[in-house]
Amino acid sequence: MSGPDGSQQNGRPTRVLLVDDDALVRAGLRMILSSATDIEVVGEAENGAQAVEGVAAHRPDVVLMDVRMPVMDGLTAAKAITERPQAPSVVMLTTFDLDEYVFQALQAGATGFLLKDTPPRELVAAVRIVAAGEAMLSPTVTRRLVGHYAADAVNPRRREATERLTLLTEREREVLACVGQGMSNAEVGKELFMSEATVKTHVSRLLTKLEAHNRVQVAIVAHDAGLLDV
């Protein structure tokens, strides 16, 4: 379980697996992350197949993984990894903002994405954020992502999402709407006058009831169901 700063409450550092077919990129990421005392790079992989094996061998908390790789691409690997019991958080690395593959990555279960030129301090902060169970997407980026993702086939998606909402309590719908806006647990708590622990419980129930891998997929359901319509 993670502490408020992303470090592990049991005293051990956040374990990270680096996956990129470029050895120089992996070396740079390792150097940056190793500068943080609460983060430990436990392994590296140069393709998706090795990433899946690395998760089984090293049991990381967070996987930083490139999208385009030989043997097995990051999208296929992300799906395989996030379907594992007690799966780590998967953050995709991309060269371009809102790369077309990012949408597929989120659908495959990735927690979010980072640009490869993300400043070192922000990269370290991102690892801590996802280790704490949050999505690595700002509210603005979340809205852009779900808006783009749901742009096609709106009506069928709206009907399906609306049906899924019948499983939720009124309070869970309120939390869902907040998550759909890209709010953090702390922000949801302030908005709905709940403790952060209570928010985490509601988010956990949303993930289960909506059969979602992460908060971004939950946000997409909120968008599809029209909860964010003004």
Side-chain angles (χ1 to χ4, degrees), residues 31 53 57 75 84 91-92 98 128 149 185 195 212:
M31 181 176 66
E53 295 173 355
L75 300 176
R84 293 174 53 89
V91 177
M92 307 305 297
L98 295 187
R128 290 172 176 154
Y149 182 83
N185 287 343
S195 69

Side-chain angles (χ1 to χ4, degrees), residues 155-217:
N155 291 335
R157 295 178 63 87
R158 174 64 59 93
R159 287 195 297 271
E160 180 185 350
T162 301
E163 289 176 2
R164 295 170 75 179
L165 259 59
T166 61
L167 300 173
L168 308 181
T169 65
E170 185 61 33
R171 197 56 160 168
E172 287 167 350
R173 289 190 182 212
E174 293 175 346
V175 173
L176 174 60
C178 290
V179 172
Q181 296 174 50
M183 293 185 186
S184 67
N185 287 343
E187 290 169 335
V188 175
K190 181 179 293 186
E191 177 72 18
L192 300 179
F193 305 100
M194 293 189 291
S195 69
E196 192 167 344
T198 300
V199 174
K200 288 182 179 180
T201 298
H202 282 302
V203 171
S204 179
R205 289 173 180 166
L206 287 174
L207 290 170
T208 299
K209 290 185 176 182
L210 299 177
E211 298 181 344
H213 289 294
N214 55 59
R215 295 170 73 97
V216 179
Q217 292 183 343

Side-chain angles (χ1 to χ4, degrees), residues 30-45:
R30 176 180 283 274
M31 181 176 66
I32 292 170
L33 296 178
S34 295
S35 67
T37 58
D38 59 336
I39 296 175
E40 177 185 5
V41 177
V42 296
E44 297 183 15

Side-chain angles (χ1 to χ4, degrees), residues 6-178:
S7 60
Q8 301 298 309
Q9 287 187 355
N10 60 11
R12 73 172 177 82
T14 297
R15 298 164 61 84
V16 179
L17 177 69
L18 303 177
V19 188
D20 197 295
D21 59 339
D22 189 330
L24 288 177
V25 171
R26 297 199 307 272
L29 292 171
R30 176 180 283 274
M31 181 176 66
I32 292 170
L33 296 178
S34 295
S35 67
T37 58
D38 59 336
I39 296 175
E40 177 185 5
V41 177
V42 296
E44 297 183 15
E46 60 183 28
N47 59 60
Q50 290 184 5
V52 175
E53 295 173 355
V55 167
H58 301 294
R59 301 184 66 183
D61 303 301
V62 178
V63 177
L64 293 182
M65 182 159 56
D66 191 15
V67 175
R68 302 178 183 85
M69 294 180 293
V71 184
M72 180 188 290
D73 63 71
L75 300 176
T76 305
K79 189 173 189 303
I81 290 171
T82 56
E83 288 178 346
R84 293 174 53 89
Q86 298 182 319
S89 297
V90 177
V91 177
M92 307 305 297
L93 297 170
T94 181
T95 306
F96 303 103
D97 185 17
L98 295 187
D99 183 297
E100 61 177 302
Y101 292 106
V102 169
F103 303 103
Q104 298 175 49
L106 295 174
Q107 190 174 25
T111 301
F113 74 97
L114 288 171
L115 299 180
K116 288 189 177 182
D117 60 356
T118 296
R121 181 176 297 182
E122 292 181 19
L123 178 65
V124 171
V127 169
R128 290 172 176 154
I129 288 171
V130 297
E134 302 280 355
M136 189 50 240
L137 294 168
S138 69
T140 300
V141 173
T142 296
R143 285 192 291 271
R144 289 166 62 195
L145 278 170
V146 296
H148 183 101
Y149 182 83
D152 298 325
V154 174
N155 291 335
R157 295 178 63 87
R158 174 64 59 93
R159 287 195 297 271
E160 180 185 350
T162 301
E163 289 176 2
R164 295 170 75 179
L165 259 59
T166 61
L167 300 173
L168 308 181
T169 65
E170 185 61 33
R171 197 56 160 168
E172 287 167 350
R173 289 190 182 212
E174 293 175 346
V175 173
L176 174 60
C178 290

